[in-house]
Amino acid sequence: MIAKRIKNFLPRSLYGRAALILLVPVLVVQIVVTIVFVQRNFEGVTRQMVSSVALDVNFLLNEVAENSSLKPIQNAQERLQLNVRPMSDMADNGNQQNWWDVSGITVISALNVYVPNVQWVDLKTSTKVVTFAVRSPIGPLIVGVPRDRVSVSNPHQLLVLMIFVGIVTTLISFAFLRNQLRPIRRMARAAEAFGKGQVVDYHPTGAIEVRAAGDAFLDMRNRIERQIEQRTLMLSGVSHDLRTPLTRLRLALSMSDDTEAGAMVRDVEDMERLLDTFLDYARGDALEKTSAINPNDLAKTAVENAQKLQQVVSLSEASKEQLVDLRPIAVARALGNLIGNAARFADEISLSVSLSERSLTYIVEDNGPGIPKNDRETAMRPFIRLDEARNQNKGPGVGLGLSIVADIARTHGGVLLLSDSETLGGLKAELVIARRRDE
Ligand SMILES: Nc1ncnc2c1ncn2[C@@H]1O[C@H](COP(=O)(O)OP(=O)(O)OP(=O)(O)O)[C@@H](O)[C@H]1O
Ligand SMILES: [Mg+2]
């Protein structure tokens, strides 16, 4: 509970955390040194200095008391840098001291200890001179002592130096830290891009551990690329080898005047279409280059293509005419798949385009039966056709359509969402595409 709360306050980025790890010890050292320094050293030294000055002061005061006059000590005063005069020109204001004068506290308390009969100490009127009043047999006396004889001059210099050096070294280490973290960020970027199907240039750099992770990532990326390649090769090989005999079969059937031939030709055509779907799936769309496209144009083309297949789609375009970076053939195929699905189950279909700062969304809605909530995840998996009953007489299919669309959404840094259509009552399929953010 408490650990969790502390966690919320800690920085989330590696950079922030490393900075914290760096900063905390430096700060702690500075604070500890400051406290110890002020308390021990500083107070001790001040006390010692006051005690040695007190010897001189006490000696002079003794002389004054014995002679009952200031005259005999005139010479000694000058040599000892002390100034003793009768208290006629100064009022009693009690102890006075500037708030920032840390050593002043010690000076006052030490004077009271080492010099008998001190009445008040004034450190405020002059910062260069310590003035204090003492009682003596010839009346109250004022004693002036140069401040640098009772406390260390410029005591803050060490602290200022320490803080300054601390800041400078921290800044330098920040710069080094940045350099150390850059390779990790570069690797993260390469991995993220690969997740979207882009292969960006990446060479492992930096510390051994980061480099090892980078090498492992490259190995993994190469292996996945090889596998995709093999899958494509295999499927396209099979499709190609099957297509030739199918074409021959179709030709032979169209020549024959068998009454069953028409149905058989349709079957063969269905098989050819299935092969095409397999090929599409296997090929993937990661190889296509992205280009800047007006999303409304893609939607218009998709609607026109649907019309050629006697499917009626009402279109509502995005109000803004902006270009979006995407793979046009892949997105067109995704729209084709969604509209094709809708056309199989419904007679009213709508396609709408909406464009925001961060994403482009195509929404295909229909008035068909929709997909029950629990089946939506499953429907997006490859080779899944849900219950056969609903698909009867709905044409051939292998159950790849939605998974291809989901794949295309993923390679665009987006997602395919299935839900209920509020306007038409059937399925609502949202194809979200992330717009590239400027880094
Ligand atoms: N608009 C829709 N309305 C109702 N059910 C749908 C809709 N779209 C898809 N489905 C259901 O989801 C299943 C999976 O769809 P998907 O597009 O992946 O495969 P398919 O259309 O059967 O085959 P393919 O697209 O590969 O020809 C379909 O079989 C169907 O049961
Ligand atoms: Mg389909």
Side-chain angles (χ1 to χ4, degrees):
M1 177 77 179
I2 295 173
K4 214 172 186 182
R5 207 169 282 175
I6 292 175
K7 225 176 190 171
N8 284 341
F9 282 104
L10 294 180
R12 287 166 54 87
S13 75
L14 186 56
Y15 188 61
R17 286 181 182 190
L20 196 72
I21 293 171
L22 204 80
L23 214 67
V24 167
V26 171
L27 278 179
V28 168
V29 164
Q30 295 222 337
I31 291 170
V32 167
V33 166
T34 307
I35 291 173
V36 170
F37 175 77
V38 168
Q39 283 242 316
R40 295 269 168 81
N41 229 319
F42 208 51
E43 269 184 38
V45 169
T46 306
R47 218 167 268 282
Q48 276 175 30
M49 290 172 86
V50 172
S51 78
S52 85
V53 168
L55 289 178
D56 298 349
V57 173
N58 289 337
F59 169 73
L60 285 186
L61 290 178
N62 259 336
E63 290 293 299
V64 171
E66 270 171 28
N67 298 307
S68 297
S69 143
L70 284 174
K71 289 233 169 65
I73 60 161
Q74 282 317 352
N75 270 341
Q77 279 194 44
E78 233 159 78
R79 277 194 229 125
L80 293 174
Q81 289 185 15
L82 292 172
N83 180 4
V84 183
R85 59 185 191 281
M87 182 172 139
S88 48
D89 50 348
M90 277 195 111
D92 179 358
N93 294 324
N95 291 335
Q96 300 236 2
Q97 172 212 354
N98 290 311
W99 62 265
W100 42 260
D101 191 354
V102 186
S103 59
I105 307 169
T106 319
V107 171
I108 293 173
S109 79
L111 271 179
N112 278 304
V113 171
Y114 295 117
V115 182
N117 297 327
V118 170
Q119 287 183 299
W120 49 259
V121 183
D122 179 8
L123 300 173
K124 205 170 183 177
T125 313
S126 164
T127 51
K128 299 235 166 65
V129 183
V130 180
T131 314
F132 58 95
V134 277
R135 273 196 307 264
S136 82
I138 60 163
L141 295 175
I142 298 282
V143 183
V145 186
R147 179 65 191 261
D148 56 7
R149 286 195 63 190
V150 293
S151 65
V152 185
S153 53
N154 294 331
H156 56 279
Q157 255 175 10
L158 181 79
L159 295 183
V160 170
L161 197 71
M162 200 169 72
I163 292 169
F164 176 73
V165 171
I167 290 174
V168 169
T169 48
T170 308
L171 285 181
I172 293 174
S173 8
F174 271 154
F176 275 104
L177 201 64
R178 242 206 156 80
N179 277 341
Q180 291 305 307
L181 295 185
R182 197 169 298 146
I184 299 179
R185 281 224 298 273
R186 280 187 43 228
M187 186 170 75
R189 223 172 293 151
E192 197 187 333
F194 188 57
K196 293 182 190 166
Q198 298 155 5
V199 176
V200 297
D201 217 17
Y202 169 70
H203 302 287
T205 51
I208 309 174
E209 291 85 353
V210 180
R211 214 179 285 218
D215 282 331
F217 163 69
L218 277 187
D219 282 348
M220 191 179 74
R221 188 168 82 174
N222 288 338
R223 199 164 44 96
I224 293 175
E225 274 186 314
R226 227 176 19 246
Q227 273 175 3
I228 294 175
E229 217 168 281
Q230 281 167 357
R231 184 183 72 169
T232 316
L233 268 179
M234 195 185 76
L235 271 166
S236 56
V238 169
S239 309
H240 179 265
D241 291 353
L242 280 178
R243 202 188 302 269
T244 326
L246 277 179
T247 316
R248 242 182 324 202
L249 204 61
R250 186 149 57 98
L251 270 178
L253 281 172
S254 61
M255 304 275 204
S256 90
D257 26 58
D258 196 320
T259 45
E260 306 260 308
M264 287 162 88
V265 167
R266 269 197 301 283
D267 279 348
V268 172
E269 278 170 358
D270 281 349
M271 287 164 84
E272 280 177 337
R273 230 188 341 265
L274 292 189
L275 283 181
D276 283 342
T277 324
F278 274 136
L279 256 181
D280 282 350
Y281 181 67
R283 197 160 38 223
D285 298 283
L287 300 175
E288 196 192 343
K289 287 257 177 311
T290 57
S291 44
I293 299 287
N294 181 343
N296 285 339
D297 292 347
L298 270 186
K300 271 182 261 184
T301 316
V303 171
E304 277 162 25
N305 287 343
Q307 265 156 10
K308 282 181 205 148
L309 299 170
Q310 265 91 48
Q311 299 161 351
V312 185
V313 179
S314 64
L315 173 66
S316 86
E317 297 180 21
S319 48
K320 286 176 273 187
E321 295 276 336
Q322 286 178 350
L323 299 184
V324 178
D325 283 323
L326 47 78
R327 301 188 179 89
I329 301 178
V331 174
R333 175 175 305 132
L335 291 181
N337 282 354
L338 292 178
I339 294 174
N341 276 351
R344 286 225 318 267
F345 293 97
D347 46 20
E348 220 177 304
I349 308 168
S350 77
L351 168 63
S352 63
V353 190
S354 71
L355 200 54
S356 79
E357 211 49 54
R358 308 192 55 173
S359 64
L360 157 69
T361 311
Y362 287 107
I363 303 177
V364 179
E365 293 179 84
D366 64 49
N367 66 346
I371 303 179
K373 204 167 182 171
N374 293 335
D375 290 339
R376 286 176 194 151
E377 273 300 310
T378 324
M380 286 192 271
R381 284 202 219 125
F383 303 109
I384 295 289
R385 304 206 63 208
L386 298 184
D387 54 321
E388 279 306 317
R390 69 152 75 206
N391 287 335
Q392 266 172 8
N393 308 322
K394 302 285 189 198
V398 278
L400 282 176
L402 286 181
S403 76
I404 290 176
V405 179
D407 241 11
I408 290 171
R410 260 196 299 278
T411 61
H412 283 86
V415 67
L416 170 66
L417 300 171
L418 300 182
S419 58
D420 291 320
S421 163
E422 276 163 26
T423 45
L424 297 179
L427 185 73
K428 174 181 182 180
E430 285 173 82
L431 171 62
V432 185
I433 289 173
R435 299 183 69 175
R436 208 185 17 228
R437 278 163 286 153
D438 292 325
E439 291 186 37

